């Protein structure tokens, strides 16, 4: 008998959703003492979000002129499919540097810094979508800041993307910048916030927040943290090919500006939305203080967040 039009597409879609749900539900038992069980509601939300992304992608492609559609396909990363990227060159490790999911303070535009705030419900859904995006690559190391919003994001993502990896590695050097007296303030309402950012942009990267840190402080400890994870100063070559690290908005901006040789005075030019993914290839044999030890593949990618991107860039 003739199969009705669209039936096979429906079957494939249902099969993908069911497979994604079973993958999350069958993830290995937790290995870290702080790990909490993955709620069934989040499993279902991840499956539903994946289906919504496929539907939205189909509609976008259908509405694109043929030339524009071909240009998009030739551009590299399509709809967050990281497996389509060319592999990293010999001697390099591909670093997927992510920002944590949304917190209530993110939603309120408050400066968090070293204050430990947990993910809200939207933030946990976003974290699962990082896992969906990274599932297509062979992640062998997952690391995170010790602050709970970053660790929880890494933990949720790992359960989806790479449940066989032995826990999330915590490194204190990956924590967010200390904003000192400004922590808890609304950035847009602080004249000091604008003043200090302007000073950095003019080259004064040694200037600290009152009772806080400077961009130079963050740069130095961030590079040392990468060395501690085996991503810099490794004369014997890469220990890993694909590594995922979950950190924070301002920390990521400073570290990326440093690694890519842009100068940390340019850190304000990089955007970092909640649960964005930055992809850079790191020359692990480079010295910890090398001028440009990494090359850019993609910055602030949020394609994987279709439908749940709250648009709270840092």
């Amino acid at each position: 008998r003739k199969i009705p039009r669209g039936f096979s597409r429906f079957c494939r879609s249902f099969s993908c959703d069911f497979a994604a749900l079973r993958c999350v539900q069958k993830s290995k038992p937790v290995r870290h003492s702080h790990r909490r069980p993955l709620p069934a509601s989040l499993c279902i939300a991840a499956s539903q979000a994946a289906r919504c992304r496929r539907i939205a992608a189909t509609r976008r492609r259908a509405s694109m002129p043929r030339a524009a559609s071909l240009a998009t396909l030739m551009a590299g990363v399509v709809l967050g499919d990281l497996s389509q990227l060319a592999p990293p060159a010999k001697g390099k490790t591909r670093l997927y540097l992510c920002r944590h999911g949304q917190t209530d303070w993110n939603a309120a535009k408050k400066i968090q810094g070293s204050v430990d705030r947990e993910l809200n419900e939207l933030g946990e859904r976003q974290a699962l979508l990082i896992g969906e995006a990274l599932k297509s690559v062979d992640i062998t190391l997952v690391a995170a800041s010790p602050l709970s919003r970053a660790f929880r994001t890494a933990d949720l993502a790992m359960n989806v993307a790479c449940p066989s990896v032995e826990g999330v590695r915590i490194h204190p050097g990956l924590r967010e910048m200390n904003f000192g007296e400004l922590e808890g303030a609304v950035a847009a309402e602080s004249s000091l916030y604008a003043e200090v950012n302007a000073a950095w942009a003019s080259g004064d990267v040694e200037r600290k927040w009152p009772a806080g840190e400077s961009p130079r402080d963050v740069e130095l400890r961030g590079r040392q943290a990468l060395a501690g994870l085996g991503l810099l100063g490794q004369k014997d070559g890469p220990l890993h090919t694909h590594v995922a690290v979950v950190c924070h908005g301002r920390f990521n901006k400073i570290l990326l500006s440093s690694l890519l040789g842009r100068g940390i005075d340019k850190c304000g030019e990089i955007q970092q939305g909640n649960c964005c993914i930055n992809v850079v290839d790191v020359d692990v044999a480079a010295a910890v203080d090398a001028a440009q030890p990494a090359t850019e593949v993609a910055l602030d990618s949020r394609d994987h967040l279709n439908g749940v991107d709250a648009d709270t860039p840092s």
Side-chain angles (χ1 to χ4, degrees), residues 220-234:
L220 294 176
R221 67 171 167 84
R223 281 180 172 246
Q224 287 293 339
L226 292 187
L229 296 172
L231 298 177
L232 284 175
Q234 298 297 309

Side-chain angles (χ1 to χ4, degrees), residues 4-299:
R5 178 177 299 178
F7 181 76
S8 60
R9 187 182 304 117
F10 168 80
C11 290
R12 286 196 300 273
S13 175
F14 180 83
S15 175
C16 289
D17 290 341
F18 185 72
L21 179 58
R22 286 183 61 84
C23 176
V24 175
Q25 290 177 327
K26 286 188 173 182
S27 60
K28 288 194 174 184
V30 298
R31 292 170 293 277
H32 196 286
S33 59
H34 293 96
R35 184 173 296 179
R36 299 197 293 269
L38 196 63
S41 61
L42 290 180
C43 299
I44 296 171
S47 176
Q48 291 174 337
R51 187 177 183 185
C52 288
R53 291 199 310 278
R54 287 194 298 274
I55 294 172
T58 300
R59 289 175 179 171
R60 282 199 303 273
R61 286 195 299 271
S63 64
M64 294 173 87
R66 180 173 177 80
S69 179
L70 288 173
T72 300
L73 290 172
M74 294 172 65
V77 184
V78 179
L79 304 175
D81 188 355
L82 299 174
S83 66
Q84 299 302 309
L85 293 170
K90 184 179 180 181
K92 294 192 175 184
T93 291
R94 179 150 292 166
L95 170 62
Y96 303 88
L97 181 64
C98 310
R99 187 187 177 202
H100 61 79
Q102 191 192 68
T103 69
D104 290 340
W105 274 24
N106 284 144
K109 311 296 184 184
K110 290 185 177 181
I111 300 170
Q112 295 180 113
S114 62
V115 178
D116 200 1
R117 305 292 299 181
E118 294 189 350
L119 299 180
N120 58 23
E121 182 180 354
L122 175 60
E124 294 202 337
R125 290 169 57 201
Q126 292 172 329
L128 288 172
L129 293 175
I130 285 185
E132 288 290 339
L134 295 178
K135 191 162 58 175
S136 62
V137 293
D138 186 20
I139 302 291
T140 54
L141 174 66
V142 180
S145 154
L147 295 174
S148 61
R149 59 188 183 270
F151 171 78
R152 179 63 171 162
T153 299
D155 191 44
L156 287 168
M158 191 184 75
N159 270 294
V160 177
C162 48
S164 62
V165 171
E166 285 295 326
V168 177
R169 186 169 169 183
I170 301 299
H171 197 295
L174 300 174
R175 67 190 183 278
E176 175 62 303
M177 182 180 220
N178 187 334
F179 285 76
E181 296 175 3
L182 269 72
E183 292 181 349
V186 176
E189 298 174 357
S190 170
S191 60
L192 180 59
Y193 181 84
E195 176 188 328
V196 173
N197 276 279
W200 294 347
S202 66
D204 186 7
V205 294
E206 308 289 346
R207 180 164 178 178
K208 302 175 185 282
W209 298 107
E213 290 183 292
S214 71
R216 185 72 72 200
D217 295 331
V218 175
E219 177 190 32
L220 294 176
R221 67 171 167 84
R223 281 180 172 246
Q224 287 293 339
L226 292 187
L229 296 172
L231 298 177
L232 284 175
Q234 298 297 309
K235 298 303 182 182
D236 295 330
L239 301 174
H240 304 273
T241 304
H242 298 277
V243 172
V245 178
V246 181
C247 298
H248 306 269
R250 183 68 64 168
F251 176 90
N252 287 1
K253 291 181 176 187
I254 294 171
L255 186 61
L256 288 167
S257 297
S258 176
L259 294 177
L260 298 174
R262 298 185 177 188
I264 56 177
D265 56 315
K266 303 292 194 301
C267 67
E269 298 174 4
I270 297 177
Q271 289 293 307
Q272 292 289 280
N274 283 122
C275 273
C276 69
I277 300 176
N278 306 283
V279 186
V280 295
D281 289 346
V282 183
D283 180 0
V284 299
V288 175
D289 60 352
Q292 187 179 343
T295 54
E296 174 186 337
V297 178
L299 296 182

